[in-house]
């Protein structure tokens, strides 16, 4: 199971009633935070989820509305007694930018590890694989794709064929590698072909681009920015490096996503529901994101 | 008139229902912000006051709960089309710390000017004089004293004695200096002795110390941290470099302040009203600060 929560859905600046865009992916005692603008720690508290479980923080780009809450978030993690290292995944320059911000969070009780985006960069967190892809914004910006892998079913014939001792079966099913009496036993010796897992793709801030299509392909949940609802705002969207609701919907349709959630609304977009139809007419399973919106994605 | 607003009254971390400690002093189209933790810009919006009018930002120290909201606050000021320079007044190292944080606010449309604390440092903003004084905390920390000066009454005898032309009287009364026909006319030529103005003193985070007494002397409003309400928490207060309600009250009484507002409550102090009596019994005109609490101080 993969629990996805939109902690906030606003762009540019936090509003009284709408936090800055941020998303939490939680599974099996672990969590991945995507973006951390000012106030994300409060949104996190409102969501009732634990800071301590956040192992990876993904930062899309260095505009303040996506990163300025990081020092406070890390300090609050330390107040929850986190001591295990935290990985921060972001565009080129992520380490120097975070170190610069952390001038006011100098003595964290856990190490920060940095992964800078490259096309091959990949973070493995238990059964989750995190990758990033380039977006098209006014500054260097990346989207994220999280896949929760699902092992194959137990295959007794295969286990017997590989002469795996019966007492090891349950351990190999838990994806462990075991060496015994000079023989190395691996999970694939007792498992069938991997089954379909879960895929969540998140992108903001950006214009539509081909990399989004590739990484959102067949996503169970595609979370995409919709800075403007009104199609008449296309020139403004192009100028600012953002998207219309309808553009996000076209991406979702073309990528074959299961569902689309819109997020990262302009502060001027006080009633996004007035424009939902612009997306639904293109891609019917579009939903408006809102602060606190959550879904428990289940394996098929 | 001097309008004082507590934008937030929390310490350490913002809560769902309590913003981080911050105070706005507004007078005659100008404003001074004291401290700017995460979320201060939202608290500012809730207060209904304009970002654009903030000419000076005072930072007590570099703990995140007092400064982490600064990049976002400055960016929101720029969204309100501020172009005039903004002065930032803080402890030694203020410029390098702010520059470091502003890695995510790189192209502000106004200049930042820095004033580093020294015993003689003083900022003059129209009729306001801002000074700072050293506190006793776990890191270098300063309190602030804002005095709104009030000129003397118009004195016709004095004006006639100095042979000031009648048409200049009203301009000199507005504190202007005028040169005419080779003669320099100054306000003191038409005004009596300066009258009592208004004084607000603000201090957090700190243990009680002599400098507070001196700078809070006869303050119209003394705003002081009260991290802990329960007197039994004295050892914890000493360890953390903070104060009890009762300690703040003793300072207010000894300084001869007119009134005391408590602020900067510990996140664990969910019901400060349970401990108000600990301060009121020492200094009766003590009031609990709360987010949005405001007063319009009038000249006597």
């Amino acid at each position: 199971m993969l629990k996805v929560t939109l902690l906030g859905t606003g762009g540019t600046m936090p509003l009284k009633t709408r936090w800055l865009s941020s998303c939490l992916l939680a599974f099996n005692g672990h969590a991945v935070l995507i973006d951390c603008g000012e106030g994300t720690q409060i949104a996190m508290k409102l969501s009732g989820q634990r800071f301590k479980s956040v192992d990876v923080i993904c930062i899309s780009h260095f505009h303040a509305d996506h990163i300025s809450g990081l020092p406070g978030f890390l300090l609050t993690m330390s107040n929850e007694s986190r001591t295990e290292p935290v990985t921060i995944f972001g565009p080129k320059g992520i380490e120097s930018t975070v170190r610069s911000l952390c001038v006011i969070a100098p003595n964290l009780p856990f190490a920060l590890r940095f992964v800078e985006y490259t096309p091959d960069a990949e973070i493995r967190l238990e059964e989750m694989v995190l990758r990033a892809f380039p977006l098209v914004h006014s500054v260097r910006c990346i989207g994220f794709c999280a896949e929760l892998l699902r092992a194959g079913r137990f295959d007794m014939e295969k286990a017997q064929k590989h002469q795996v001792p019966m007492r090891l079966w349950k351990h190999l099913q838990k994806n462990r590698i075991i060496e015994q009496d000079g023989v190395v036993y691996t999970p694939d010796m007792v498992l069938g072909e991997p089954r379909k897992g879960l895929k969540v793709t998140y992108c903001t801030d950006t214009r539509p681009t081909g990399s989004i299509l590739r990484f959102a392909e067949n996503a169970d949940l595609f979370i995409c920015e919709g800075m403007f609802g009104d199609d008449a705002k296309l020139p403004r969207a192009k100028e600012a490096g953002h998207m219309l609701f309808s553009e996000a919907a076209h991406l979702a349709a073309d990528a074959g996503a299961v569902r689309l959630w819109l997020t990262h609304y302009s502060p001027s977009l006080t009633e996004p529901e007035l424009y939902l139809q612009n997306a639904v007419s293109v891609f019917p399973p579009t939903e408006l994101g809102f602060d606190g919106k959550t879904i428990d994605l289940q394996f098929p």
Side-chain angles (χ1 to χ4, degrees), chain A:
Chain A
M1 196 195 76
L2 177 60
K3 183 185 175 82
V4 184
T5 306
L6 295 182
L7 298 177
T9 53
T12 310
M13 61 181 87
L15 303 183
K16 298 170 193 175
T17 53
R18 190 192 285 162
W19 297 101
L20 288 171
S21 293
S22 178
C23 180
L24 194 78
L25 310 177
F27 64 99
N28 198 18
H30 299 278
V32 174
L33 179 74
I34 304 180
D35 279 342
C36 188
E38 184 170 356
T40 293
Q41 65 165 306
I42 306 171
M44 181 82 168
K45 280 196 186 111
L46 288 165
S47 80
Q49 295 183 85
R50 299 292 305 273
F51 289 75
K52 198 179 171 180
S53 65
V54 176
D55 297 293
V56 180
I57 300 175
C58 300
I59 300 291
S60 62
H61 63 301
F62 306 147
H63 279 159
D65 54 331
H66 293 260
I67 190 172
S68 61
L70 191 59
F73 196 96
L74 294 171
L75 286 165
T76 297
M77 286 179 78
S78 73
N79 281 331
E80 273 199 13
S81 306
R82 167 113 192 172
T83 54
E84 301 80 15
V86 173
T87 299
I88 301 183
F89 187 15
K92 188 176 175 192
I94 184 70
E95 178 163 5
S96 65
T97 302
V98 172
R99 298 272 184 222
S100 195
L101 287 176
C102 283
V103 64
I104 55 170
N107 297 311
L108 297 171
F110 46 82
L112 296 180
R113 292 177 179 163
F114 294 90
V115 176
E116 200 169 85
Y117 167 73
T118 66
D120 300 326
E122 183 180 294
I123 293 175
R124 184 77 189 239
L125 179 62
E126 300 282 345
E127 61 267 54
M128 178 172 277
V129 178
L130 270 170
R131 287 174 299 155
F133 52 95
L135 299 175
V136 178
H137 191 44
S138 57
V139 297
R140 195 182 285 130
C141 185
I142 55 178
F144 297 95
C145 177
E147 289 184 83
L148 197 62
L149 306 180
R150 190 184 190 194
R153 289 183 195 283
F154 177 71
D155 183 336
M156 195 186 297
E157 277 184 28
K158 216 169 162 187
Q160 288 168 337
K161 185 183 122 195
H162 287 100
Q163 298 181 315
V164 179
M166 199 183 293
R167 66 182 177 285
L168 301 185
W169 290 0
K170 65 179 178 185
H171 301 293
L172 295 174
Q173 277 184 272
K174 287 176 184 166
N175 214 28
R176 293 183 193 144
I177 294 170
I178 296 170
E179 186 176 348
Q180 190 168 291
D181 302 328
V183 183
V184 176
Y185 296 96
T186 54
D188 63 290
M189 291 175 170
V190 303
L191 299 175
E193 286 300 300
R195 289 170 286 181
K196 185 181 177 323
L198 291 167
K199 178 172 170 178
V200 176
T201 303
Y202 186 100
C203 67
T204 178
D205 301 5
T206 186
R207 292 287 305 144
T209 181
S211 64
I212 302 175
L213 277 185
R214 289 193 298 281
F215 279 84
E217 191 181 353
N218 301 326
D220 296 279
L221 173 57
F222 174 41
I223 303 170
C224 186
E225 77 139 281
M227 189 77 162
F228 305 106
D230 186 349
D231 284 340
K233 297 230 170 166
L234 182 59
R236 176 82 190 102
K238 285 184 175 177
E239 180 191 25
H242 285 293
M243 267 193 243
L244 305 174
F245 283 11
S246 57
E247 291 179 312
H250 277 292
L251 286 170
D254 293 348
V258 175
R259 57 176 77 73
L260 166 66
W261 283 7
L262 294 167
T263 187
H264 200 275
Y265 307 124
S266 162
S268 64
L269 185 54
T270 51
E271 295 181 281
E273 54 278 12
L274 295 181
Y275 302 97
L276 177 59
Q277 190 55 34
N278 289 355
V280 166
S281 62
V282 175
F283 184 68
T286 302
E287 297 173 32
L288 290 172
F290 55 81
D291 291 18
K293 184 179 177 84
T294 190
I295 188 171
D296 289 324
L297 294 172
Q298 306 285 349
F299 287 125

